[in-house]
Amino acid sequence: MENNGEKNVKPAAKGRETSEFLMAIVRTLSTSADFEQREKEKARIEKTFTQSDKKLVELVSENYQDLTQITQDFSTISKSVNDAREKIKKIKDDLSSCKTLLHCKRDELRRLWIEGVEQKTMVAMLEQIEQIKEVPTKLDNLLLKKHYLHGTELVVNAVAKLENQLAGVEALRDLKAELITRKEQLHEVLIEELNKQIYIKAQTPNFSSLPGKKTGSLSKQDTLKRKGGNGVPPPERMEFGKEVKEDLNSNPEDDPTHFIAILVESLYMLRKIPEAAEGLKIRIQPELSAIIARTSQYILESTSNQMDASNQSQYLLDLLENIFYQFRFVANMHKVVLRNLHRIIVSGVPVRQECLYDMTDVWSKIQAVVELLLREYLDVENTSASRQRAPTSFDEPSTDINSFFAKKRPAKPKKMALFRFDASIHAISTNSYVDDSRAFDTGDLFSSSLLAEMGLEKNQMVCKPSVYNITAIFKPLEAFIREIEDAIACQDGTSSLQAFVTDFVQNIFLGHVHYTVSTSIGSATKVDEEDESFDALRHVVDHKTQKELGVNRPLLTSTVTVDKNLQELRELMQDLPDYADQFLNMICNTLKEYRDTCHSAYREIVQYDSDERRVISAMWAKDEDISRFLRSLPSWRSLQVSQGQELASEDVCSEEEIKALNSKEAQILISNLTSSDGLIQQEIITDVTQMRTIANVHESLEWFSNRMKDFSNGLSARSTATAAESAASEYPPVSEKTLGSLRNLVKDFQDLAEICLLLLHLEVRVHCFYFLLPVAKQSNYAGPIDDLDPDSNVLKLNKDLTSMEEVLQQSLQPKKFKYIFESLGFLVASILMNSIQYMKKINENGIKKMCRNLFAIQQNLTNITMSRESDLDHARQYYELLYINPDDVITMIAEKGSQYTFQEYTELVKLHHRSHPALSPSQLEQRMQKLKDVFFKTPNGECDS
């Protein structure tokens, strides 16, 4: 405003300055007294005027065109202003005339205006009527394309117009009734569409393991999880602040979340929110049951030609995984619905809170339906009536294996059954037929009420109900339960479904498993009712089973049965990791019972009379000193190498060391089993089949203990296991106490297996003593007739060794068979050479007979061991020294050195003197002194002595 004022002031100021300038000139000229001064001032003024005039001419010349144009424009504007003044004056005159005329016709104008308003109203009403008549057709088109928001708005507005503006139009009465009816029915359509979006759209089959289906479920599920579950964005990430709008140019079902918002908004426009919430709440359980029925039918149709009776639980797993997949979708869709309902409530719409539902109601219904399904497939109704109690824990103190060899009460006399029919082809085929006929007959196994409640038919079960179905579904079931508990934030930390599963496993499944395992093992280890003897150590598996197990020697059927049951328990530890301790307790209890069974059967074999006296080999096998010595021999250590243990370099022995150890073993046996007046009576195992049984027990228990050792080594204690170890382990962590008990039991089986092998090793040697001691003590070697046959006891020994070879070769591995018969020739040679002290006399016929004995045994042992028993040559050469005079023998020692011990030479000289009564005792003493002098002077003699 100040700038504008300055612009207005400047011209006036400039005019004043010019006037003041002229007045100053006039004043100067009038007041000046000097003529020259006036002339000078005049000249100056004229000069200035001349310059100004010149400048003005120049400016006019320069701006002539502009001045001309301005002049012309001014003339034009002035003319236009004058014309406008004339027109305005004329208009004022005309308006004044119109005013006068209108004032004269006021009533007629009012009438015409009213008629115009009426005409406009009638035209608008006709347009509304025309629009109302088109509403049904437009509504049908919108509903057909599922544009429910526009359809709802259309019918609501139409009914509102019919009830207000068009209420008096009688011609629209039928149309009004129709639209009101359709409006009332529309909310049912919307609720049905909501249910369809929640439940029907959830049917996205994911049958990864069904025949003919591609396995791509993992990547698909991962993608869905990133989206928030089953292709629906997480409701927490949805933006509900924006106005719900509907695009008529797109398919509303492409975006399920937005489509549900449209449906809820439409229900709000119909003022049917409470009815919709109640309808959705009522339909939850029936719709969930319908999902189960549809999915079951789909699986049955997909696998109708490939149904595998041996793998039925996999179909149940497929069923549950797909049901869980769809139930997650249903839960997410309910979240979307509830968020939209709460959005409307927050916007200020009065809705009673009790009319709504929440996610707790949804998850409760899901748990109820899943529980009903599990009750059917887990056969809860049939198994709960016959519940078995599982052992709660296993707490066995450290045991001493020798305690199992203590004396027991005498057993009753046994009767051997000649044969049985339970393994015949007819019996096996009959049992197989019965099992096959029951494989999938589920007609009478299900509760009709429960099936009807779930919407299932008897022929819609995907597998046979069984408590063992829990093994295939436990892990995904537990994962789903954790999702539920996280979703509803259980106050007590346990959902109803989790409580059901826990109760089922603890009170039904564990007891059933324990009963089944106990029954199976009990039938395999039962006492025969006819002969009251243990079947556990009598029957072995067939060759087909041996091949399947990867073994080349027979195993006890009872051991394989126990191992099979324990393998099932180990698999249960993996399938139900939360109950690994309970299954490990069952394993320990089963091992303890089978260990006791094996020890009882072992005791029955090694006792030979009612006083429970043990055979010699059994007593020695449990003797700590003898057992420790036998385990220190190279032959035993070589067996450990064959079992995968490395033999240390310091344990490798030379031939001289091996011979010395064999000699020590022979000396220990000879010192314990030979005496001047006694023979072995009944302290041996006379039934060779018992030897085979012991060999089978050894092979079976060694195989079994190795498998159990591998299992125990794969376990880790819960108190010491790290997270990395637990993740890498095949089995879950278990109780340290139970794990220690398991390892002790495995050690017991290993010890019993080793004792059986030591027993066989010793029993064969005791048999040699049993038959060879009478050879020297009871036979006559000074007879006049040259008997061409070996001694009868030697023939019996050969027959006995051959029988043992036949049964042990079939029952023992080659290295163990070699261990049994290895160095037996050295022992036989030592026995016969040591027996020379019991001979009263001998002649050439007797020498020949003893050599025949040695040769017969050598031939037999060579056939058994497939190697020449040079120790028997050594013994035969010893007896052949009796052909030579003792003096010549002493001379030979002096010339060639000693080949035998001093004691052996002494007994040789003594027998020579007993065989020649004519020789005096003084001659014997002289020869003994000479022998002593010569023997201890030779290097070999010093060594041998």
Side-chain angles (χ1 to χ4, degrees):
M1 294 293 294
E2 292 178 357
N3 293 335
N4 294 333
E6 290 178 358
K7 291 179 180 179
N8 296 330
V9 171
K10 280 182 180 180
K14 192 173 182 180
R16 285 196 301 271
E17 289 177 358
T18 304
S19 299
E20 289 174 359
F21 178 71
L22 291 174
M23 291 298 294
I25 294 174
V26 172
R27 202 166 34 249
T28 301
L29 292 176
S30 61
T31 58
S32 175
D34 190 359
F35 178 79
E36 291 181 6
Q37 186 177 1
R38 287 196 297 270
E39 288 296 326
K40 288 181 181 179
E41 186 66 25
K42 180 182 176 184
R44 185 181 67 81
I45 293 171
E46 289 178 352
K47 181 180 181 181
T48 304
F49 176 79
T50 304
Q51 291 176 348
S52 299
D53 186 57
K54 182 179 180 182
K55 188 174 182 179
L56 179 62
V57 172
E58 291 177 354
L59 290 173
V60 171
S61 300
E62 291 177 358
N63 297 284
Y64 177 78
Q65 293 181 352
D66 293 337
L67 289 172
T68 304
Q69 183 67 39
I70 289 171
T71 303
Q72 293 175 356
D73 292 342
F74 178 79
S75 299
T76 302
I77 292 171
S78 178
K79 182 180 179 182
S80 297
V81 169
N82 292 328
D83 292 342
R85 285 176 180 175
E86 293 294 331
K87 289 180 180 179
I88 289 172
K89 184 179 179 182
K90 183 179 180 181
I91 290 172
K92 284 181 67 178
D93 295 339
D94 291 342
L95 287 174
S96 178
S97 301
C98 287
K99 182 178 179 181
T100 303
L101 293 174
L102 288 173
H103 183 73
C104 296
K105 297 185 178 182
R106 181 184 302 173
D107 295 337
E108 184 179 357
L109 288 175
R110 183 181 291 112
R111 182 182 59 79
L112 292 175
W113 176 80
I114 293 173
E115 290 179 356
V117 171
E118 290 177 352
Q119 290 294 330
K120 288 182 180 179
T121 303
M122 292 180 65
V123 170
M125 186 176 294
L126 289 173
E127 290 179 354
Q128 290 180 357
I129 292 173
E130 291 297 324
Q131 292 175 357
I132 293 296
K133 290 173 63 179
E134 295 176 356
V135 166
T137 303
K138 290 182 179 180
L139 182 62
D140 290 337
N141 293 333
L142 290 172
L143 296 182
L144 183 63
K145 297 179 180 179
K146 298 191 176 182
H147 294 302
Y148 291 109
L149 186 59
H150 283 79
T152 303
E153 185 178 6
L154 179 64
V155 73
V156 168
N157 292 336
V159 171
K161 289 179 180 179
L162 288 171
E163 291 179 345
N164 295 299
Q165 297 97 323
L166 304 179
V169 181
E170 291 297 324
L172 297 177
R173 190 188 334 174
D174 295 340
L175 181 59
K176 177 181 178 180
E178 178 187 354
L179 290 180
I180 291 175
T181 302
R182 297 196 65 174
K183 177 186 174 183
E184 294 297 326
Q185 295 175 348
L186 183 58
H187 84 279
E188 297 178 0
V189 176
L190 295 174
I191 294 175
E192 188 66 29
E193 186 64 38
L194 262 180
N195 283 309
K196 179 180 178 182
Q197 293 299 316
I198 294 173
Y199 302 105
I200 306 299
K201 295 297 182 181
Q203 297 182 66
T204 308
N206 182 28
F207 304 102
S208 59
S209 60
L210 297 180
K213 303 293 177 183
K214 296 183 179 179
T215 57
S217 60
L218 289 180
S219 60
K220 179 179 179 181
Q221 288 179 353
D222 292 341
T223 304
L224 294 177
K225 287 179 181 178
R226 289 193 293 270
K227 290 182 178 179
N230 303 24
V232 181
E236 293 78 6
R237 300 181 183 177
M238 299 175 188
E239 298 181 0
F240 291 105
K242 297 181 179 180
E243 182 183 359
V244 178
K245 296 182 179 179
E246 186 177 48
D247 185 4
L248 295 177
N249 296 322
S250 63
N251 184 0
E253 291 186 295
D254 291 342
D255 187 354
T257 303
H258 186 65
F259 190 36
I260 287 179
I262 289 174
L263 293 173
V264 174
E265 187 71 20
S266 301
L267 287 167
Y268 163 62
M269 294 178 66
L270 293 172
R271 299 298 185 266
K272 296 292 184 178
I273 291 295
E275 291 84 351
E278 185 64 24
L280 291 174
K281 185 177 180 180
I282 294 174
R283 291 282 294 275
I284 293 176
Q285 185 159 343
E287 291 292 347
L288 293 175
S289 299
I291 289 177
I292 294 177
R294 289 192 296 267
T295 308
S296 300
Q297 188 63 33
Y298 183 89
I299 291 179
L300 289 173
E301 293 174 357
S302 301
T303 60
S304 58
N305 298 326
Q306 298 91 359
M307 185 68 76
D308 184 3
S310 63
N311 193 28
Q312 292 182 12
S313 58
Q314 183 60 43
Y315 299 117
L316 177 59
L317 176 60
D318 286 327
L319 174 63
L320 281 187
E321 285 182 343
N322 283 277
I323 287 174
F324 293 161
Y325 176 85
Q326 295 177 70
F327 283 0
R328 292 186 189 100
F329 182 92
V330 168
N332 279 333
M333 298 305 283
H334 273 290
K335 285 183 182 179
V336 175
V337 172
L338 289 172
R339 289 293 298 272
N340 281 280
L341 290 176
H342 287 294
R343 172 180 59 81
I344 291 175
I345 294 174
V346 170
S347 65
V349 178
V351 179
R352 290 183 301 168
Q353 195 66 27
E354 59 268 17
C355 294
L356 299 180
Y357 67 99
D358 56 18
M359 287 306 299
T360 303
D361 297 324
V362 176
W363 286 115
S364 297
K365 298 296 184 182
I366 289 176
Q367 291 181 82
V369 170
V370 173
E371 181 177 338
L372 283 175
L373 182 70
L374 293 177
R375 284 184 178 275
E376 290 301 317
Y377 280 104
L378 298 180
D379 203 16
V380 174
E381 299 297 328
N382 294 329
T383 55
S384 59
S386 58
R387 292 189 178 186
Q388 304 294 330
R389 191 67 180 172
T392 56
S393 63
F394 181 84
D395 184 13
E396 184 185 29
S398 57
T399 55
D400 180 9
I401 193 169
N402 290 326
S403 64
F404 295 99
F405 300 99
K407 289 187 176 182
K408 306 291 181 181
R409 288 183 298 175
K412 297 180 180 180
K414 305 174 185 178
K415 296 180 182 180
M416 299 294 293
L418 294 178
F419 49 81
R420 301 169 65 93
F421 291 102
D422 53 359
S424 64
I425 295 177
H426 175 73
I428 293 174
S429 61
T430 302
N431 293 335
S432 299
Y433 172 77
V434 173
D435 292 340
D436 291 341
S437 64
R438 296 175 180 173
F440 201 67
D441 184 12
T442 62
D444 300 325
L445 293 176
F446 306 115
S447 169
S448 300
S449 59
L450 289 177
L451 289 173
E453 187 173 351
M454 293 192 333
L456 290 174
E457 300 292 338
K458 291 185 179 181
N459 57 358
Q460 280 187 300
M461 308 298 290
V462 299
C463 71
K464 181 180 178 181
S466 170
V467 293
Y468 285 98
N469 286 334
I470 190 67
T471 60
I473 65 174
F474 182 79
K475 289 182 180 179
L477 180 59
E478 284 294 309
F480 186 65
I481 290 175
R482 284 193 293 272
E483 290 182 33
I484 294 176
E485 293 177 347
D486 292 340
I488 62 179
C490 296
Q491 298 297 327
D492 57 354
T494 303
S495 61
S496 61
L497 185 58
Q498 180 65 70
F500 164 76
V501 173
T502 302
D503 178 73
F504 169 77
V505 174
Q506 291 182 348
N507 298 328
I508 297 179
F509 181 68
L510 291 178
H512 186 83
V513 170
H514 180 259
Y515 174 77
T516 303
V517 171
S518 300
T519 303
S520 175
I521 295 176
S523 63
T525 59
K526 66 181 179 180
V527 177
D528 193 284
E529 296 179 358
E530 296 181 0
D531 57 15
E532 298 183 359
S533 63
F534 282 97
D535 284 347
L537 305 185
R538 184 185 304 173
H539 301 297
V540 295
V541 298
D542 53 22
H543 291 289
K544 179 182 178 181
T545 306
Q546 284 181 222
K547 187 175 181 181
E548 292 174 354
L549 296 174
V551 295
N552 53 10
R553 290 295 181 270
L555 299 178
L556 297 175
T557 303
S558 62
T559 306
V560 175
T561 301
V562 171
D563 180 76
K564 180 181 177 182
N565 283 275
L566 296 188
Q567 177 63 33
E568 292 176 357
L569 291 175
R570 294 198 292 269
E571 292 174 357
L572 289 175
M573 289 180 65
Q574 296 173 315
D575 295 334
L576 282 74
D578 295 346
Y579 301 91
D581 282 331
Q582 286 86 335
F583 293 119
L584 188 60
N585 288 332
M586 290 188 196
I587 290 175
C588 289
N589 280 291
T590 302
L591 289 175
K592 178 180 177 296
E593 293 174 3
Y594 187 60
R595 179 197 63 186
D596 296 344
T597 299
C598 291
H599 284 303
S600 299
Y602 173 84
R603 281 192 298 267
E604 289 193 3
I605 293 175
V606 298
Q607 68 186 26
Y608 60 89
D609 60 18
S610 59
D611 294 333
E612 294 201 1
R613 296 176 60 186
R614 303 289 178 85
V615 295
I616 295 173
S617 57
M619 291 188 293
W620 284 7
K622 76 167 187 175
D623 185 272
E624 292 184 2
D625 295 331
I626 296 177
S627 176
R628 188 185 309 109
F629 171 73
L630 292 177
R631 293 170 194 265
S632 67
L633 295 176
S635 55
W636 179 268
R637 294 199 298 270
S638 67
L639 291 178
Q640 308 310 312
V641 175
S642 66
Q643 295 174 11
Q645 304 176 8
E646 295 184 359
L647 189 64
S649 57
E650 60 269 14
D651 293 335
V652 179
C653 300
S654 62
E655 290 188 13
E656 291 76 9
E657 292 174 332
I658 293 175
K659 186 174 181 180
L661 291 171
N662 290 336
S663 176
K664 185 177 180 181
E665 179 186 9
Q667 289 173 6
I668 292 175
L669 297 177
I670 290 172
S671 63
N672 282 278
L673 290 175
T674 59
S675 61
S676 58
D677 54 351
L679 295 174
I680 299 175
Q681 300 299 325
Q682 297 179 351
E683 299 98 334
I684 64 171
I685 299 175
T686 56
D687 187 359
V688 72
T689 58
Q690 299 286 58
M691 300 278 286
R692 176 170 56 199
T693 299
I694 294 174
N696 291 337
V697 170
H698 163 72
E699 288 289 350
S700 301
L701 295 188
E702 183 183 73
W703 172 82
F704 182 64
S705 64
N706 288 335
R707 287 175 62 85
M708 295 308 299
K709 185 185 295 183
D710 293 340
F711 167 62
S712 64
N713 291 338
L715 296 176
S716 57
R718 189 179 296 107
S719 58
T720 59
T722 62
E725 291 175 347
S726 301
S729 177
E730 187 179 0
Y731 300 95
V734 295
S735 167
E736 185 175 5
K737 184 177 180 181
T738 310
L739 180 57
S741 300
L742 173 65
R743 288 171 177 166
N744 290 334
L745 288 167
V746 173
K747 181 69 166 52
D748 290 344
F749 280 104
Q750 186 176 0
D751 290 343
L752 181 56
E754 292 178 354
I755 286 175
C756 289
L757 188 60
L758 291 175
L759 172 70
L760 294 174
H761 178 85
L762 292 170
E763 185 64 27
V764 172
R765 281 146 182 78
V766 174
H767 277 236
C768 293
F769 282 96
Y770 179 79
F771 289 107
L772 292 181
L773 287 181
V775 171
K777 293 183 178 182
Q778 298 178 350
S779 299
N780 181 17
Y781 289 91
I785 301 175
D786 184 11
D787 191 356
L788 299 178
D789 294 326
D791 191 90
S792 61
N793 285 299
V794 171
L795 295 176
K796 292 178 182 178
L797 173 62
N798 282 339
K799 183 178 179 181
D800 190 52
L801 290 176
T802 302
S803 300
M804 288 190 290
E805 176 213 6
E806 291 176 354
V807 297
L808 296 181
Q809 195 170 35
Q810 297 174 358
S811 303
L812 292 176
Q813 299 176 28
K815 284 192 175 184
K816 297 172 185 176
F817 177 80
K818 179 182 178 182
Y819 169 72
I820 299 297
F821 289 96
E822 191 177 33
S823 73
L824 195 60
F826 182 86
L827 177 65
V828 171
S830 300
I831 294 172
L832 292 178
M833 290 170 64
N834 182 72
S835 298
I836 196 172
Q837 60 183 314
Y838 305 117
M839 293 182 181
K840 297 178 180 179
K841 60 175 65 176
I842 193 170
N843 57 16
E844 290 188 4
N845 292 334
I847 296 171
K848 292 178 181 178
K849 183 176 182 179
M850 182 56 73
C851 291
R852 291 191 190 98
N853 291 339
L854 289 166
F855 183 72
I857 295 174
Q858 184 181 28
Q859 279 187 317
N860 193 31
L861 287 179
T862 300
N863 293 332
I864 294 174
T865 62
M866 303 306 293
S867 63
R868 181 173 180 80
E869 299 291 339
S870 58
D871 294 313
L872 293 171
D873 290 330
H874 186 66
R876 189 172 66 253
Q877 293 169 5
Y878 173 71
Y879 274 98
E880 287 176 349
L881 291 177
L882 292 171
Y883 287 123
I884 307 173
N885 188 280
D887 295 328
D888 295 336
V889 173
I890 294 172
T891 303
M892 187 184 303
I893 294 173
E895 293 176 354
K896 299 181 180 180
S898 63
Q899 299 296 322
Y900 304 95
T901 65
F902 176 75
Q903 182 64 31
E904 290 168 348
Y905 280 118
T906 300
E907 296 298 336
L908 196 67
V909 173
K910 288 180 179 180
L911 179 58
H912 180 79
H913 276 263
R914 289 198 301 271
S915 302
H916 297 80
L919 297 175
S920 62
S922 60
Q923 289 177 315
L924 174 61
E925 291 179 2
Q926 291 175 2
R927 284 178 174 170
M928 293 299 294
Q929 185 61 41
K930 183 179 180 181
L931 173 63
K932 184 176 182 181
D933 294 340
V934 172
F935 186 86
F936 289 106
K937 285 182 180 180
T938 61
N940 291 341
E942 293 176 0
C943 178
D944 292 341
S945 63

